[in-house]
């Protein structure tokens, strides 16, 4: 579910009633068999309890663990490959052979997770804990739950001797969270033939959104913002702290950040957000629905966009570029005036907005030529994926067996995923999974990350239905 390497991936609007696990379980008309649920739980536990953080973990360990599962299930060793140059950051690629009646479909998830400190959590982040209807653990929602679900589904299809119309290629990769030794980029550079497909399904976001207590819309990401960070740096000679000067580097930087906090980027829509709000408008009434319908139009009323953006942080991020400080450092000793103060500002840029205009807006907002502005990274972007009507219909049919007929809607991720590299290489990517989630309780990258137990088990049946249908 994820945002480019260290941001929130897909926080949804707060205009909802919190999900209660018991009603969600009762709503499901179809459940995965008990044996499949047991397998799914076992795989999830193994992944959560395998440390795959960039700093001290290993995606190679997780990839090798899962590769043994596929080999034990009878997959041809030539179709189960652990690949990568870095000994701790290898990737798993598995092929379930089909009949050759269609092109392969790529299934994608990442194995790495962000760091979690035990003292910050109420449970051990590196142990799977089931409590009060939830599975807790680092990576449950981002995105080991999705990865375990894909593995469980392919193993089930193999056990049932099901042969799909075309190959399924599962890629479980490294380096999504920190961008180092990124598995998708490495595979594209070294093994591009493995990733050749009609399209890719990435489980790192989207899915059935809980609104008013039940799944109401299944969001499929077809576009995402571009990730770019800047450093803001102030330098001066410093001196002894007993002789303060008006030109303090920390003060100067703070004043610039205060001016930046008052800046808002222009409100804009695109094909993904227009489609998203067109679908959402059908679920609401009154002024909110009117503003959503306005946002779905080709020439939306700016006042309506402003009102919609003000309703939630998610809607605001859907409708404009955002830039926010995420890191601070400065000074060299408690008894010395700071010779340097620096902030890192992370921006999530709308697909059609130029980086030059974003950088110019930042300089204008800071309004201080002594604050040096520099890019931390060069942005990487890919074109939006077109709505695939046949795929969306199959998604809707698969969802209907579990949650009734709900709309399947395109949307734009406010964060970023590895989909950007595949889209840039010309492969359409659709980002969603089958885990219903409370849109007001996104804990990816945060404290006590969790997914609903019922939601996870329902995703196993959703995956099974969908992969049999494609």
């Amino acid at each position: 579910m994820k945002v480019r390497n260290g941001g929130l991936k897909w926080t949804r609007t707060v205009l909802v009633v919190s999900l209660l696990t018991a009603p969600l379980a009762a709503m499901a008309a179809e459940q995965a068999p008990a044996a499949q649920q047991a397998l799914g739980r076992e795989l999830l536990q193994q992944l959560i309890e395998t440390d795959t953080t960039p700093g001290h973990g290993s995606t190679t360990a997780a990839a090798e663990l899962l590769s043994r599962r596929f080999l034990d299930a009878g997959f041809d060793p030539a179709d189960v490959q652990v690949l990568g140059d870095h000994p701790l950051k290898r990737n798993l690629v598995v092929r379930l052979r089909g009949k050759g009646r269609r092109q392969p479909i790529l299934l994608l998830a990442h194995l790495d997770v962000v760091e979690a400190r035990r003292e910050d959590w109420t449970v051990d982040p590196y142990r799977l804990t089931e409590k009060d209807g939830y599975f807790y653990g680092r990576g449950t929602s981002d995105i080991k739950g999705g990865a375990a679900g894909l593995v469980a589904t392919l193993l089930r299809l193999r056990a049932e001797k099901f042969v799909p119309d075309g190959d399924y290629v599962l890629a479980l990769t490294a380096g999504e969270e920190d961008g180092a030794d990124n598995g998708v980029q490495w595979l594209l550079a070294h093994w591009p033939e493995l990733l050749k497909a009609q399209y890719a399904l990435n489980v790192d976001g989207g899915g059935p959104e809980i609104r008013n207590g039940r799944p109401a819309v299944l969001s499929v990401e077809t576009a995402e913002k571009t990730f770019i960070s800047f450093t803001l740096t102030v330098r001066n000679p410093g001196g002894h702290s007993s002789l303060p000067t008006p030109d303090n580097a920390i003060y100067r930087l703070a004043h610039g950040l205060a001016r930046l906090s008052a800046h808002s980027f222009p409100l804009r829509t695109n094909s993904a957000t227009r489609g998203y709000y067109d679908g959402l408008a059908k679920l609401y009434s009154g002024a909110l629905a009117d503003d959503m319908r306005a946002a779905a139009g080709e020439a939306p009323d700016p006042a309506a966009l402003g009102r919609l953006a003000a309703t939630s942080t998610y809607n605001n991020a859907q409708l404009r570029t955002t830039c926010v400080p995420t890191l601070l450092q400065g000074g060299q000793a408690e008894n010395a005036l700071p010779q340097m103060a620096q902030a890192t500002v992370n921006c999530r840029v709308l697909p059609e907005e130029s980086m030059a205009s974003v950088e110019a807006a930042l300089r204008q907002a800071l309004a201080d030529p002594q604050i040096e502005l520099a890019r931390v990274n060069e942005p990487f972007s890919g074109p939006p994926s077109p709505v695939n009507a046949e795929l969306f219909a199959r998604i809707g049919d698969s969802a209907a067996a579990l949650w009734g007929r709900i709309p399947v809607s395109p949307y734009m991720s406010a964060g970023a995923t590895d989909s950007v590299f595949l889209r840039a290489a010309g492969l359409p990517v659709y980002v969603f999974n089958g885990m219903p989630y409370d849109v007001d309780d996104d804990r990816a990258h945060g404290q006590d990350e969790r997914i609903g137990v019922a939601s996870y088990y329902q995703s196993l049946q959703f995956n099974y239905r969908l992969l049999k249908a494609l």
Side-chain angles (χ1 to χ4, degrees):
M1 298 176 152
K2 275 78 157 183
V3 195
R4 173 89 246 129
N5 310 333
L8 287 177
K9 274 194 180 44
W10 49 80
T11 307
R12 292 286 191 262
T13 177
V14 298
L15 301 175
V16 295
V17 176
S18 294
L19 166 66
L20 299 178
T21 303
L24 176 59
M27 280 187 283
E30 184 173 290
Q31 298 286 336
Q36 185 67 2
Q37 292 187 25
L39 174 62
R41 190 190 194 286
E42 184 180 348
L43 288 166
L44 179 62
Q45 181 170 357
Q46 287 186 317
L47 279 181
I48 297 300
E49 297 181 3
T50 302
D51 184 355
T52 57
T53 56
H56 47 73
S58 169
T59 63
T60 302
E64 290 177 343
L65 180 155
L66 294 176
S67 71
R68 289 191 291 272
R69 288 278 191 168
F70 286 106
L71 294 173
D72 291 345
F75 279 72
D76 188 325
D79 290 334
V80 181
Q81 302 182 70
V82 177
L83 302 166
D85 289 336
H86 195 296
L88 298 178
K89 296 184 178 183
R90 294 195 172 123
N91 314 281
L92 175 64
V93 181
V94 177
R95 185 178 296 267
L96 178 66
R97 296 281 174 175
K99 300 173 183 175
R101 296 175 181 170
R102 61 154 171 78
Q103 296 180 59
I105 294 173
L106 177 64
L107 309 174
L108 180 66
H110 63 86
L111 292 171
D112 59 315
V113 297
V114 298
E115 184 70 55
R117 299 188 303 176
R118 177 64 183 89
E119 58 269 27
D120 293 338
W121 285 49
T122 60
V123 297
D124 187 339
Y126 299 109
R127 292 288 180 267
L128 184 69
T129 300
E130 183 175 348
K131 184 175 68 171
D132 301 328
Y134 291 95
F135 285 132
Y136 289 83
R138 174 55 88 219
T140 46
S141 66
D142 188 11
I143 186 62
K144 288 182 173 180
L150 290 175
V151 173
T153 303
L154 291 187
L155 291 175
R156 180 180 177 183
L157 294 176
R158 173 73 182 188
E160 294 179 357
K161 297 182 169 53
F162 174 76
V163 181
D165 282 347
D167 294 359
Y168 282 116
V169 179
L170 173 66
L172 302 179
T173 60
E176 195 273 351
E177 296 293 2
D178 69 344
D181 297 287
N182 181 273
V184 172
Q185 288 182 294
W186 188 89
L187 289 167
L188 285 170
H190 295 87
W191 293 83
E193 66 277 10
L194 292 180
L195 303 186
K196 287 183 178 178
Q198 179 180 350
Y199 53 76
L201 307 181
N202 184 355
V203 295
D204 200 11
E209 298 182 6
I210 303 298
R211 295 176 182 276
N212 299 318
R214 62 180 300 122
V217 59
L218 198 154
S219 298
V220 179
E221 181 225 283
T222 58
E224 58 188 48
K225 285 182 162 181
T226 301
F227 175 102
I228 184 170
S229 290
F230 297 86
T231 54
L232 315 181
T233 307
V234 178
R235 305 178 192 277
N236 66 34
H240 200 285
S241 63
S242 65
L243 301 171
T245 64
D247 188 22
N248 183 293
I250 291 176
Y251 285 157
R252 183 176 286 275
L253 178 63
H255 292 155
L257 289 173
R259 290 188 291 272
L260 178 60
S261 71
H263 175 77
S264 292
F265 285 85
L267 292 159
R268 294 191 173 118
T269 62
N270 54 49
S271 60
T273 52
R274 287 192 291 271
Y276 181 66
Y277 286 116
D278 181 58
L280 278 189
K282 299 177 176 63
L283 305 177
Y284 293 93
S285 60
L288 180 59
D290 291 340
D291 288 341
M292 288 179 173
R293 279 190 287 270
E298 290 291 336
D301 173 21
L305 294 184
R307 290 191 298 269
L308 186 57
T311 60
S312 72
T313 55
Y314 175 75
N315 285 330
N316 181 69
Q318 285 286 294
L319 296 170
R320 58 164 46 104
T321 291
T322 62
C323 292
V324 62
T326 54
L327 294 169
L328 277 173
Q329 60 178 315
Q332 65 281 356
E334 67 175 293
N335 61 350
L337 299 177
Q339 297 174 35
M340 186 276 289
Q342 186 175 83
T344 299
V345 170
N346 178 241
C347 298
R348 307 301 175 119
V349 182
L350 290 173
E352 67 277 8
E353 195 156 359
S354 74
M355 294 301 142
S357 68
V358 172
E359 191 166 337
L362 287 176
R363 293 186 188 280
Q364 184 176 4
L366 293 169
D368 186 343
Q370 292 192 45
I371 300 178
E372 302 170 12
L373 182 67
R375 296 186 183 187
V376 174
N377 65 293
E378 285 304 312
F380 196 100
S381 62
S385 299
V387 171
N388 183 320
E390 181 181 357
L391 171 62
F392 275 46
R394 300 289 178 85
I395 294 169
D397 291 342
S398 300
L402 284 91
W403 310 294
R405 185 63 62 177
I406 58 176
V408 179
S409 174
Y411 84 102
M412 179 190 68
S413 173
T417 71
D418 278 336
S419 303
V420 66
F421 306 118
L422 295 171
R423 289 181 179 134
L427 183 66
V429 187
Y430 303 95
V431 186
F432 65 97
N433 59 62
M435 287 183 281
Y437 61 99
D438 182 346
V439 297
D440 198 24
D441 186 36
D442 184 351
R443 303 189 183 190
H445 293 200
Q447 180 189 48
D448 291 343
E449 183 180 351
R450 68 185 187 179
I451 54 175
V453 174
S455 292
Y456 177 63
Y457 289 149
Q458 287 171 31
S459 75
L460 302 180
Q461 191 65 9
F462 173 82
N463 291 349
Y464 176 75
R465 275 190 153 274
L466 181 62
L467 295 193
K468 289 193 74 172
L470 295 178

